[in-house]
Amino acid sequence: MINLKASDARASPATAFSFLSRGWREVKDSADADLRLLKDRANSFKNLASTFDRELENFLNSASKSTFSVSSPSTEIDFVKRLQPKLSEIRRAYSSPDFSRKVLEKWSPRAKIGINLSAIKNAIVSEVEEREGDFDERERFRRARRVWFKDLGWECKEERQSRDWEPIRALKRRLRELEQKSSSSEILESLKNSEFVEKLKSSLEVPPLDVPELLAYLVRQSGPFLDQLGVKRDISDKIVESLCSKRKDQLLLCSIPAGESSILENDNISDELDLRIASVLQSTGHCYEGGFWTDSSRHDMTNGKRHIAIVTTASLPWMTGTAVNPLFRAAYLSSSAKQDVTLLVPWLCQSDQELVYPNDLTFSSPEEQEAYIHKWVEERVGFKSDFKISFYPGKFQKERRSIIPAGDTSQFIPSKDADIAILEEPEHLNWYHHGKRWTDKFNHVVGVVHTNYLEYIKREKNGAIQAFLVKHINNLVTRAYCHKVLRLSAATQDLPKSVVCNVHGVNPKFLQIGEKVAAERERGQQAFSKGAYFLGKMVWAKGYRELIDLLAQHKKDLDGFNLDVFGNGEDAHEVQSTARKLDLNLNFMKGRDHADDSLHDYKVFINPSISDVLCTATAEALAMGKFVVCADHPSNEFFRSFPNCLTYNSPKDFVAKVKEAMDSEPQPLTPEQRYNLSWEAATKRFMEYSDLDKVLNNERGDAQLTQRNGKIVKRSVLMPNLTDVVDGGLAFAHYCLTGNEFLRLCTGAIPGTRDYDKQHSKDLHLLPPQVENPIYGW
């Protein structure tokens, strides 16, 4: 029933509106309840009428038998005779079935509930007026009956029930008062304080956007698309600046309070334009809730322990950078109690293991390889590593000398652990990735770029064309699948969302060797008894071409200079035969671990390579206290601060630096220099530059919220970010292209790598590929 007291008749019109704006489901339930109550009332009227007849008959019988003490008994008898016909007529009216039928017809629920408030008001008023007209005769009867019952000391049940009609009368009065006050000052006062008026007022205070501002914002947000077309960021920034330059002063005055002079001093047009758009959108009350490519089902790990998944493209015992460095990263990240860590590495079938792993070392099960990896890393870091190792299916490609994932790599991280992902070599992992988007499954995705693929590809046949295609593919996959990209040095391709920072350290064993060498020199002992050496995989791209050219060009200047070379590789025979033809003083030996005892006595490490991103061997040689002679190249930028690093910028300078290193002694490393080379420092840099420290501490960052005129402007919530839309569109296009086997083969993929094969399902105890992916499409 509608619960509205009559004493609230003087309430404000807003209360009446609040009453009328109830949910329609509640109106329907109230109507059903009223109908049931009317049925009960009709039955009670019948029962009351029959009870009254019985009471009246008893009264008349008792009156005829009683002896009245009044002086005129004939007057009483006449009154009773006149009353009896009227009571009989009233009884017949109440007991008639037509009365109940009329009541039910007038108060039965309507078949369809409309949303017209005026119709509801008119219906209620007409019903109340008609009901009052029908009850006039019964009202006279109730008054007479109340007189009789009050004399007898009874309370009429109908009188108690009639109080339920009072809300209808109160509603009628309120509607009439509302019509009378429709133009009164009370309604104007209530509208003055309404939310609508506040939004209208704020929208009038912020000037609307003009055409140059809209064009500038469109160009700035179209940066990802223009980047794919080859338009550099500098050009886009100049276009935005030129569009905003004419309106710069006016734009700043319109959107910045007088007290906020710091923003004026920064003179950042891009940020100011961003906030200008946000202010206008906020004044209109617009709220952006996500685009086409937003996945709201991303796993939330904010209430529990965080989890980091490190995905890499190689694994021990293959001694390559993408196998060793992610392993150390997992060990040092897992040493913190704030997060759990899983290292996801490729599993190769027996035939591929024989091609990749050295010394004929193979594994019959993933558990056996996992035990080998844990033992290897614990011997070097000096503590028990507390991280989990998982495997995904991979296949070895001979032409590229690399491992390509088979199937959707992301599915091998359970959804409950899908919180933070670190993709080591994100380009390599996603070239042919046909599965769930990493940024949809994980809350934060960081890519770490290890390899300068463009430098390698340029050395191949039709390298310029291939490099152009690979450059744009790398742009696409890193933009679509990563939130942040870390480049170890500026030697790599300039990728979207990227920053340059060395997040790699050296094996603690090399730092111990350096401390031992420093202690020997303090005691006056000779630390180095051998000259120069070079160590690296024996392929032309690893610096062997540059080394042979330098030595051949200055053969006379370096007369008597001998260089020992350690390495194995596909180009070993060709490299050695070329050196013999040129009669160079190079002594070729088999490859070995850089920490091997036979390499401790060398004083100078020669590294002319310009294809590396950040040479791990260079860092290890510096950690051991040796001289390093390397090219003046962006890949060696991190090492220039070390006094033992001698860089050259020309062939003549190379000869001078080699002679300087051979004729002098290296300086001992300071504690600060040793720390900068360690994995503890590298892990700290990684946490800072990848924003992982903010993510683990649940910090949103200052870029999300900005205070403007005493109000908080939420950029990411108020504005649909065109960058996110472009990234999602690129991810969808990449998913469609990698789903076609013909297109995969045209771009150099291994046949059958869209899904894993039967041998992988057997080795890793997976569902057969036909069961895991029953529909292949295309």
Side-chain angles (χ1 to χ4, degrees), residues 521-775:
R521 293 182 62 183
E522 288 181 359
R523 293 194 297 266
Q525 299 178 3
Q526 184 180 2
F528 303 110
S529 58
K530 297 180 181 179
Y533 73 106
F534 176 61
L535 179 143
K537 186 178 180 181
M538 200 167 290
V539 293
W540 285 114
K542 280 293 186 180
Y544 285 90
R545 174 63 64 189
E546 291 81 1
L547 178 64
I548 289 178
D549 290 343
L550 287 171
L551 295 178
Q553 186 176 354
H554 297 278
K555 183 177 179 181
K556 294 182 179 180
D557 296 333
L558 294 173
D559 186 26
F561 175 74
N562 294 315
L563 183 68
D564 294 339
V565 178
F566 299 87
N568 302 318
E570 296 80 9
D571 298 332
H573 177 72
E574 187 176 352
V575 170
Q576 294 176 18
S577 61
T578 303
R580 283 194 294 269
K581 288 180 182 179
L582 296 173
D583 193 22
L584 301 179
N585 295 326
L586 295 178
N587 303 316
F588 292 97
M589 303 179 185
K590 290 185 178 180
R592 62 193 67 180
D593 192 338
H594 203 178
D596 191 89
D597 295 339
S598 61
L599 300 178
H600 294 180
D601 296 334
Y602 286 95
K603 182 174 68 171
V604 182
F605 176 71
I606 306 292
N607 183 19
S609 174
I610 57 173
S611 63
D612 287 321
V613 174
L614 186 82
C615 184
T616 304
T618 299
E620 293 169 348
L622 289 174
M624 290 189 287
K626 304 177 186 295
F627 272 126
V628 172
V629 178
C630 58
D632 186 4
H633 188 262
S635 61
N636 298 316
E637 182 67 30
F638 177 77
F639 305 123
R640 288 178 183 172
S641 60
F642 294 87
N644 293 335
C645 180
L646 307 178
T647 59
Y648 62 89
N649 50 28
S650 66
K652 290 184 178 180
D653 196 20
F654 169 76
V655 175
K657 291 299 189 297
V658 169
K659 291 182 177 181
E660 178 184 351
M662 296 298 293
D663 295 338
S664 58
E665 292 294 325
Q667 299 180 20
L669 293 178
T670 64
E672 182 181 0
Q673 292 169 351
R674 283 197 297 268
Y675 175 76
N676 289 335
L677 290 171
S678 68
W679 266 105
E680 288 85 358
T683 303
K684 183 178 179 181
R685 293 192 296 266
F686 177 82
M687 298 289 289
E688 178 183 356
Y689 281 84
S690 66
D691 295 334
L692 207 57
D693 51 353
K694 295 180 180 179
V695 173
L696 293 176
N697 294 325
N698 297 323
E699 296 180 8
R700 297 183 58 183
D702 297 333
Q704 300 294 330
L705 298 177
T706 303
Q707 189 168 1
R708 175 60 56 85
N709 293 328
K711 299 180 180 179
I712 298 297
V713 178
K714 299 180 180 180
R715 304 190 200 181
S716 60
V717 175
L718 287 173
M719 295 183 294
N721 195 334
L722 185 59
T723 301
D724 295 338
V725 177
V726 172
D727 293 350
L730 292 174
F732 180 74
H734 183 260
Y735 178 83
C736 295
L737 293 175
T738 55
N740 188 295
E741 185 66 18
F742 174 75
L743 294 177
R744 292 172 65 92
L745 295 177
C746 290
T747 54
I750 301 175
T753 54
R754 202 191 79 167
D755 303 302
Y756 56 81
D757 56 21
K758 293 182 179 180
Q759 186 61 43
H760 280 125
S761 63
K762 180 179 178 181
D763 293 345
L764 298 175
H765 309 290
L766 303 174
L767 291 174
Q770 295 84 356
V771 178
E772 182 71 20
N773 300 285
I775 300 176

Side-chain angles (χ1 to χ4, degrees), residues 238-256:
K238 289 181 180 179
I239 295 174
V240 172
E241 186 177 356
S242 63
L243 289 171
C244 295
S245 60
K246 297 180 180 180
R247 285 288 311 272
K248 177 180 177 181
D249 296 336
Q250 182 180 356
L251 184 149
L252 293 175
L253 292 175
C254 290
S255 57
I256 300 180

